[in-house]
């Protein structure tokens, strides 16, 4: 099975390639202009096709391993279904699970499944299939190289049993509020039990991966393309998408084009319907040319800096506060990004249901910042005009993250803002390996840059102290932080936890442990204006079940 | 290299041969021995390359499995990490890993990618046709361009047109590959829509990519070809032919071409490495999925098993090409059958 899927297209390609050489040499260039017609996936009425350009599909197709990558997630989203749908506001609504009950202490859940759902190989998506999936997400088969899904709360997972063919009971050893929202994230896609039973190498072959989604695989070639076609008997889309029955589009082709400029050029030449991730700096030219730009935001932390409080000068809360008060975020949004970017309102993205607007704790106030630095004793000025204390100059270095386009001009702008306060900020751009080594893994580095999505707000408890990733290098020295961490982690009720998250966010921002910049956008979709009916989930992955192409 | 004495280039190898075989049979036998020896050497070089590359790659820290497991977001336990590393054999000493890998390779199992979990043979197998199509089209184009330039340089009378032709190779050489590619993409694909950027394996795209690759390569072949033609033209027999009033085109075909072919074939063999190396860049520019792209991604992901086979494969291609050229020489030029052996 694997060989046919992998080799057939390549043999065709070989012939095509050799043919190209022969034809081209014999008759010259103009004749090959004929490819233009087939280049753009197009059609009318029932034959509408979508062409999607993506930077890479290199993570492989083993569901548990590729689950974290946003690239493969684009394809999985069309091939598979999930138990619940989580929308960009974090709202959990039914999908394959029509309804559910949760115990008082959030340690036990009962899921009621929709009747009549089948995988594309005809096997039923019933309680047994769901249990096989839960087992794969929570435990995996590490001795066979198959990890569990890292985002799934496997640590507290006790087990799952079928109460009847359409009812599953899931038990946890401790309150696990993240269970339901996690079911809506990529990674927790439902696969046929036969697919999950395969070995690591078998699972790496996309053609052995059977889902129950609105599209099925037609062909794929590693690192090159994936082509999906509509499943005609599909009838269990999540009600949240607002469409039922089979998909409108007949086929979707994902083509890998690693180069940014090439994807942009192909879009500009109208050779594709969607180009995924282009440089934000060129977005305006696309808007002017009539393209539609989608910049969905995921749930998670905003883009910002986490400060290590054991590194000077961030060991002084007043310096940290001056840092956050000295940044003119409105100017950053105006000059570095486009109108599609939104200001930060907390250290959490605004879509996170527990987020409260705490802008007043970090908004631009250069006078306050000046005062704070004076109070902290940075009163002298040196020949260059920078503040000093006991002969030491006030300053630090920013290493912009190589993962986020725009972070370099942003850091340069921030360095100008802080210069006005008398803080000398160097900026240095590094490539990914060097950045990992010099910044991420170097704990003597005062500023860490954060761009991260999360499945559930409970994640915050895992990053703030030495019980987890200890972003601020405070260890357990801040009793208020420790109290709030334990309260958020152990909460059994979402409303009660929301209040605790607000308290925690307030504390983090008041202490200026975290410097919010703007709401994070890491996925940019440049779309033809003809495309309609596209919806995004909580982690900014599109669903094309209800999508259609209509000239606007 | 050879056991033959230079003073007796035509003498029989085995002086004790009972009945002197015919000269042709003797030459054939000597050639077979030479071919077998060269082939054996080539195989040893490939084997050594495997071991060397394996050891070098083993010295590089990090791999995609550990990168995934150590990600703090994933939250794996130490036991889970250890089990998964053990499954991939990453907990074994390097020498054990080398022996295991070598034994598997000799049995035809070239391993599994750590990044995609796919068999390395499947990944490279899917990429090779694309690279082969690109490289072969590019080589044919390059030879064609060089041939045209070379012949023009002899046929055109001395003057502005001729010196223009002769300066083309320098111009081609000094234009970077990626610049040619970007111009072709902008003009032919974006402005004129002559080929598809999305379907990067379509005939038009392949031709454009091959042209990008062929232009700098053709320059090197053309330079050698032109020099060789000039040299041949300086020989007495060519001057005599010209003096007898033969048209330049006929002189080229009858008298200059054959002696110029040997250095030209040699340089074509040498630029093959350039073609393969250049295809990496060209594949990237045009978004093709070939061996170059696979290697590039394997480097970025520290996917050692894929890198190992890819590097050994390119070493093997080099060795085989050189072997073929070595074996071809005596057939191209009968004088070399003995002279080269004797040297």
């Amino acid at each position: 099975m694997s060989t046919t899927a992998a080799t057939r297209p390549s043999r065709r390609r070989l012939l095509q390639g050799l043919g190209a050489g022969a034809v081209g040499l014999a008759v010259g260039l103009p004749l090959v202009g004929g490819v233009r017609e087939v280049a753009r996936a197009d059609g009318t009425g029932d034959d509408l096709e979508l062409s999607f350009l993506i930077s890479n599909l290199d993570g492989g197709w083993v569901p548990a391993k590729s689950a974290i990558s946003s690239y493969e997630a684009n394809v999985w989203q069309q091939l598979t279904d999930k138990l619940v749908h989580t929308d960009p506001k974090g709202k959990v609504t039914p999908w394959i699970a029509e309804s559910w009950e949760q115990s008082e202490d959030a340690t036990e859940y009962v899921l009621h499944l929709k009747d009549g759902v089948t995988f594309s190989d005809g096997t039923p998506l019933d309680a047994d299939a769901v249990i096989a999936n839960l087992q794969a997400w929570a435990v995996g088969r590490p001795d066979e190289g198959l990890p569990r899904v890292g985002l799934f709360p496997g640590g507290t997972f006790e087990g799952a049993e079928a109460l009847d063919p359409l009812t599953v009971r899931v038990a946890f050893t401790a309150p696990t509020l993240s269970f339901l929202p996690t079911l809506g994230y990529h990674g927790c896609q439902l696969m046929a039990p036969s697919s999950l039973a395969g070995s690591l190498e078998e699972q790496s072959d996309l053609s052995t991966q059977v889902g129950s989604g609105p599209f099925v695989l037609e062909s794929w070639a590693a690192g090159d393309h994936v082509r999906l076609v509509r499943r005609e008997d599909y009838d269990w889309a999540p009600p949240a998408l607002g469409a039922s029955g089979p998909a409108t589009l007949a086929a979707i082709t994902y083509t890998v084009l690693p180069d940014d400029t090439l994807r942009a050029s192909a879009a500009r030449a109208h050779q594709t319907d969607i180009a995924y991730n282009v440089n934000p700096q060129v977005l305006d030219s696309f808007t002017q040319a009539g393209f539609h730009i989608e910049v969905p935001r995921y749930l998670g932390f905003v883009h910002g800096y986490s400060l290590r409080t054991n590194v000077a000068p961030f060991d002084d809360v007043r310096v940290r506060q001056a840092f956050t008060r000295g940044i003119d975020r409105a100017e950053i949004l105006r000059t570095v990004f486009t109108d599609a970017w939104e200001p930060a309102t907390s250290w959490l993205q605004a879509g996170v249901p527990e987020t409260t607007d705490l802008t007043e704790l970090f908004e631009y106030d250069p006078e306050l910042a000046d005062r704070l630095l004076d109070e902290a004793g940075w009163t002298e000025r040196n020949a260059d005009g920078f503040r000093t204390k006991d002969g030491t100059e006030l300053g630090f270095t920013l290493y912009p993250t190589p993962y986020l386009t725009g972070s370099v001009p942003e850091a340069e702008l921030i360095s100008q803002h802080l210069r006005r306060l008398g803080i000398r900020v160097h900026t240095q751009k590094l490539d990914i390996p060097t950045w990992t080594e010099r910044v991420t893994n170097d704990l003597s580095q005062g500023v860490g840059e954060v761009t991260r999505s999360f499945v559930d707000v409970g994640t915050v408890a895992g990053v703030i102290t030495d019980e987890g990733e200890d972003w601020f290098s405070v260890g357990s020295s801040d009793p208020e932080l420790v109290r709030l961490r334990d309260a958020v982690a152990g909460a059994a009720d979402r409303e009660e936890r929301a209040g605790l998250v607000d308290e925690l966010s307030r504390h983090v921002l008041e202490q200026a442990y975290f410097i919010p910049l703007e709401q994070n956008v890491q996925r940019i979709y440049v779309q033809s204006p003809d495309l309609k009916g596209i919806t995004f989930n909580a982690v900014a992955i599109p669903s094309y079940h209800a999508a259609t192409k209509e000239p606007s | 290299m050879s056991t033959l004495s230079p003073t007796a280039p035509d003498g029989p190898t085995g002086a004790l041969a009972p009945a002197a075989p015919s000269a042709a049979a003797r030459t054939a036998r000597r050639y077979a021995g030479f071919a077998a020896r060269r082939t054996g050497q080539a195989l040893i070089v490939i084997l050594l390359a495997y071991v060397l590359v394996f050891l070098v790659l083993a010295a590089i820290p990090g791999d995609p499995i550990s990168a995934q497991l150590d990600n703090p977001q994933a939250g794996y336990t130490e036991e889970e990490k250890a089990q998964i590393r053990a499954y991939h054999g990453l907990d074994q000493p390097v020498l054990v890993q080398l022996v295991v890998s070598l034994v598997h390779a000799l049995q035809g199992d070239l391993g599994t990618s750590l990044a995609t979990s796919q068999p390395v043979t499947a990944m490279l197998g899917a990429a090779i046709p694309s690279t082969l199509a690109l490289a072969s089209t590019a080589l044919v184009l390059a030879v064609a361009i060089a041939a045209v330039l070379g012949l023009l340089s002899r046929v055109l009378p001395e003057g502005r047109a001729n010196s223009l032709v002769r300066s083309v190779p320098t111009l081609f050489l000094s234009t970077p590959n990626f610049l040619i590619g970007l111009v072709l993409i902008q003009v032919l694909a974006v402005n004129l829509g002559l080929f598809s950027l999305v379907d990067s394996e379509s005939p038009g795209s392949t031709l454009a990519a091959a042209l990008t690759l062929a232009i700098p390569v053709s320059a090197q072949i053309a330079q050698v070809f032109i020099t060789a033609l000039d040299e041949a033209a300086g020989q007495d027999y060519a001057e005599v032919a010209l003096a007898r009033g033969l048209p330049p085109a006929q002189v080229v075909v009858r008298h200059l071409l054959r002696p110029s072919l040997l250095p030209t074939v040699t340089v074509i063999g040498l630029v093959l490495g350039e073609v393969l190396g250049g295809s990496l860049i060209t594949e990237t520019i045009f978004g093709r999925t070939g061996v170059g792209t696979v290697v590039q991604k394997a480097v970025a992901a520290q996917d050692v098993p894929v890198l190992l086979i890819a590097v050994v494969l390119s070493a093997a291609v080099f060795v085989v090409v050189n072997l073929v050229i070595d074996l071809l020489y005596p057939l191209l030029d009968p004088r070399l059958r003995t002279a080269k052996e004797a040297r």
Side-chain angles (χ1 to χ4, degrees):
Chain A
M1 206 166 190
S2 70
T3 43
T4 49
T7 59
R8 201 178 293 141
S10 33
R11 196 172 303 139
R12 197 187 66 220
R13 273 196 278 133
L14 172 63
L15 293 174
Q16 274 177 351
L18 293 176
V23 169
L25 290 175
V27 284
L29 208 52
L31 257 195
V32 297
V35 297
R36 198 183 188 182
E37 270 71 50
V38 294
R40 190 176 175 201
D42 223 318
T44 51
D46 227 22
D47 304 322
L48 290 172
E49 291 199 6
L50 187 77
S51 151
F52 187 113
L53 296 185
I54 195 159
S55 15
N56 82 63
L57 290 175
D58 307 333
W61 297 103
V62 178
K65 288 179 75 184
S66 63
I68 296 168
S69 162
S70 76
Y71 299 107
E72 283 81 18
N74 271 281
V75 176
W76 285 126
Q77 179 77 0
Q78 326 306 327
L79 280 175
T80 61
D81 293 316
K82 299 189 177 67
L83 284 164
V84 303
H85 181 264
T86 313
D87 77 3
K89 298 244 176 260
K91 190 172 171 223
V92 178
T93 54
W95 193 341
I96 298 304
E98 279 184 317
S99 63
W100 48 82
E101 289 113 39
Q102 176 184 334
S103 70
E104 281 285 306
D105 61 353
T107 57
E108 199 181 298
Y109 295 82
V110 176
L111 306 174
H112 302 278
L113 309 179
K114 194 188 279 270
D115 195 6
V117 179
T118 55
F119 292 103
S120 59
D121 64 357
T123 53
L125 202 180
D126 55 10
D128 288 342
V130 168
I131 291 169
N133 278 279
L134 286 166
Q135 195 68 24
W137 304 335
V139 186
R141 280 152 37 210
D143 53 335
E144 295 173 58
L146 289 161
R148 62 186 178 82
V149 173
L151 299 173
F152 190 86
T156 53
F157 179 78
E158 191 175 87
E161 58 171 338
L163 299 182
D164 68 54
L166 291 176
T167 314
V168 179
R169 194 182 75 96
V170 188
F172 293 91
T173 54
T176 306
L177 278 177
S178 63
F179 174 62
L180 282 175
T182 303
L183 295 178
Y185 284 83
H186 55 279
C188 295
Q189 75 249 20
L190 295 161
M191 307 299 304
S194 61
S195 308
L196 293 174
S199 70
L200 178 70
E201 281 183 41
E202 281 162 354
Q203 292 195 23
S204 77
D205 179 357
L206 186 57
S207 63
T208 70
Q209 298 298 318
V210 174
S212 59
F215 291 89
V216 291
L217 181 78
E218 187 183 80
S219 67
W220 74 288
D224 185 66
H225 77 273
V226 171
R227 186 172 158 83
L228 313 179
V229 292
R230 175 173 55 210
R231 185 176 165 189
E232 300 298 343
D233 62 344
Y234 184 80
D235 195 22
W236 40 85
L241 294 193
S244 58
T248 313
L249 296 169
I252 306 175
T253 306
Y254 292 87
T255 306
V256 180
L257 275 189
D259 186 64
D260 261 29
T261 28
L262 205 56
R263 289 196 303 282
S265 297
R268 235 177 245 123
H270 297 284
Q271 293 186 345
T272 187
D273 299 304
I274 301 180
Y276 184 43
N277 281 359
V278 301
N279 190 330
Q281 258 84 37
V282 303
L283 284 181
D284 279 342
S285 71
F286 277 104
T287 316
Q288 282 153 20
F291 287 88
H292 179 69
I293 314 287
E294 284 279 6
V295 281
R297 297 192 299 274
Y298 54 55
L299 303 185
F301 297 98
V302 299
H303 175 222
Y305 301 128
S306 61
L307 302 184
R308 293 202 178 96
T309 56
N310 58 344
V311 178
F314 306 119
D315 47 358
D316 187 327
V317 63
R318 290 165 296 194
V319 174
R320 299 199 299 268
Q321 287 165 340
F323 185 176
T324 204
R325 294 294 187 171
I327 298 174
D328 185 351
R329 294 171 180 81
E331 194 193 350
I332 294 175
L333 286 180
R334 256 195 333 270
T335 46
V336 180
F337 300 106
T338 72
D339 297 341
W341 270 253
E342 298 272 332
T345 58
S346 171
W347 68 317
L348 309 175
Q349 299 262 99
V352 176
E354 292 81 1
T355 303
T356 42
D357 190 337
L358 301 172
T359 316
E360 89 271 4
L361 295 178
F362 57 89
E363 67 194 340
Y364 183 47
D365 189 344
E367 282 115 55
L368 174 59
D370 260 323
R371 218 164 45 236
L372 286 162
L373 292 176
D374 286 342
E375 282 171 24
W378 296 93
T379 44
E380 305 286 312
R381 299 269 179 165
N382 63 15
D384 294 339
F386 293 103
R387 288 172 184 270
T388 58
K389 181 162 90 175
D390 307 330
T392 316
E393 188 183 74
L394 179 56
F396 54 90
T397 304
L398 286 178
Y399 301 95
T401 169
Y403 289 103
L404 199 64
T405 355
S407 76
V408 171
E410 185 166 17
E412 278 159 3
L413 209 52
I414 287 170
S415 112
Q416 287 174 29
H417 296 160
L418 297 184
R419 173 185 297 263
R420 289 182 219 139
L421 298 176
I423 306 175
R424 192 202 285 271
V425 181
H426 298 280
T427 60
Q428 193 179 351
K429 191 183 174 215
L430 301 174
D431 59 40
I432 289 178
T434 322
W435 190 79
T436 311
E437 190 191 327
R438 295 249 300 263
V439 186
T440 313
N441 297 350
D442 181 1
L443 297 181
S444 68
Q445 205 35 256
V447 185
E449 197 163 346
V450 175
T451 62
R452 194 197 282 191
S453 63
F454 57 62
V455 278
D456 180 78
V457 79
T459 305
V460 299
V463 303
I464 54 176
T465 68
D466 53 1
E467 283 282 281
E469 298 173 31
D470 202 9
W471 278 4
F472 318 128
S473 298
V474 288
S476 293
S477 64
D478 179 342
E480 180 69 354
L481 207 57
V482 170
R483 178 182 76 80
L484 289 165
R485 171 199 76 201
D486 292 341
V488 167
D493 175 86
R494 288 195 75 162
E495 252 172 63
E496 179 203 322
R497 189 177 65 170
L500 293 165
V501 170
D502 173 62
E503 268 188 76
L504 173 63
S505 303
R506 246 170 225 288
H507 184 69
V508 165
L509 293 170
E510 274 166 1
Q511 287 294 313
Y513 290 139
F514 189 98
I515 314 284
L517 294 173
E518 72 285 322
Q519 293 202 48
N520 206 359
V521 174
Q522 259 178 309
R523 321 213 204 290
I524 302 168
Y525 299 82
V526 174
Q527 293 178 181
S528 144
D530 300 356
L531 287 173
K532 304 271 151 55
I534 298 173
T535 46
F536 291 90
N537 70 3
V539 273
I541 302 296
S543 164
Y544 296 124
H545 173 260
T548 181
K549 280 160 91 170
E550 291 163 10
S552 51
Chain B
M1 285 266 168
S2 167
T3 52
L4 282 180
S5 149
T7 53
D10 285 321
T13 343
L16 300 174
S22 75
R26 256 187 291 135
T27 315
R29 183 145 32 96
R30 201 177 321 131
Y31 180 75
F34 160 72
R37 212 162 47 242
R38 277 293 152 90
T39 310
Q41 283 170 354
L43 289 176
I44 292 173
V45 169
I46 295 172
L47 187 73
L48 286 177
Y50 192 100
V51 173
L52 188 71
V53 173
F54 190 98
L55 294 176
V56 168
L57 290 176
I60 302 172
D63 63 82
I65 301 281
S66 304
Q68 189 208 0
L69 294 176
D70 293 338
N71 184 340
Q73 288 183 62
Y76 295 116
T77 63
E78 288 306 319
E79 195 196 342
E80 284 171 318
K81 291 183 196 176
Q83 277 179 309
I84 290 170
R85 284 210 181 90
Y87 175 82
H88 292 282
L90 296 171
D91 56 343
Q92 299 288 325
V94 172
L95 285 180
V96 175
Q97 290 187 41
L98 170 62
V99 170
V100 168
S101 149
L102 204 54
V103 168
H104 284 173
L106 291 175
Q107 291 166 346
D109 172 9
L110 297 183
T112 307
S113 157
L114 291 179
T116 68
S117 307
Q118 276 203 292
V120 175
T121 36
M123 289 174 76
L124 285 171
I128 286 172
S130 165
T131 303
L132 220 54
L134 174 64
S136 57
T137 313
L139 200 64
V140 170
L141 279 176
V143 169
I145 295 171
V148 169
L149 289 175
L151 297 181
L152 281 179
S153 79
R154 285 311 321 162
V155 173
L156 287 177
E158 272 180 46
R160 205 173 291 167
N162 195 307
S163 50
L164 186 73
V165 165
R166 284 165 177 270
S167 60
V168 166
T170 319
L171 176 72
F172 279 2
L173 261 187
S174 50
T175 316
N177 187 326
F178 71 88
L179 188 66
I180 301 170
L182 292 183
V183 169
L184 287 184
I185 286 173
Q186 183 59 37
V187 175
L188 298 186
V190 179
N191 296 355
L192 300 176
L194 285 181
F195 70 90
S196 163
L197 294 173
V198 176
D199 187 2
S200 59
E201 312 286 337
S202 69
S205 307
T206 303
L207 197 61
L211 192 61
T212 306
L213 185 53
I215 284 176
V217 170
S218 73
Q220 298 182 45
I221 305 175
Q223 277 180 336
V224 170
F225 189 40
I226 290 173
T227 314
L229 284 172
D230 286 349
E231 216 166 85
Q235 301 288 323
D236 294 344
Y237 60 88
E239 294 194 344
V240 168
L242 270 176
R244 272 167 48 206
L246 274 180
Q250 271 196 40
V251 176
V252 171
V253 173
R254 277 202 206 157
H255 300 288
L256 305 187
L257 214 48
R258 198 168 163 135
S260 312
L261 274 185
L262 209 59
T264 312
V265 167
T266 311
V267 79
I268 290 175
L270 290 175
V271 296
L272 211 80
E274 197 111 338
V275 172
L276 291 174
S279 61
L280 193 153
I281 302 168
T282 313
E283 280 167 7
T284 310
I285 302 171
F286 284 83
R288 299 170 63 87
T289 314
V291 177
T293 338
V294 171
V295 170
Q296 192 198 15
K297 288 172 181 170
V299 170
Q302 300 180 308
D303 195 347
V304 170
V306 177
L307 264 184
L308 170 69
I309 300 304
V311 175
V312 171
L313 183 73
S314 30
V317 168
F318 259 110
V319 169
V320 169
V321 166
N322 278 310
L323 177 68
V324 169
I325 290 174
D326 271 3
L327 296 182
L328 267 182
Y329 271 154
L331 305 182
L332 265 187
D333 186 342
R335 284 173 307 174
L336 291 178
R337 268 173 226 166
T338 49
K340 196 172 168 61
E341 276 285 272
R343 211 178 288 138

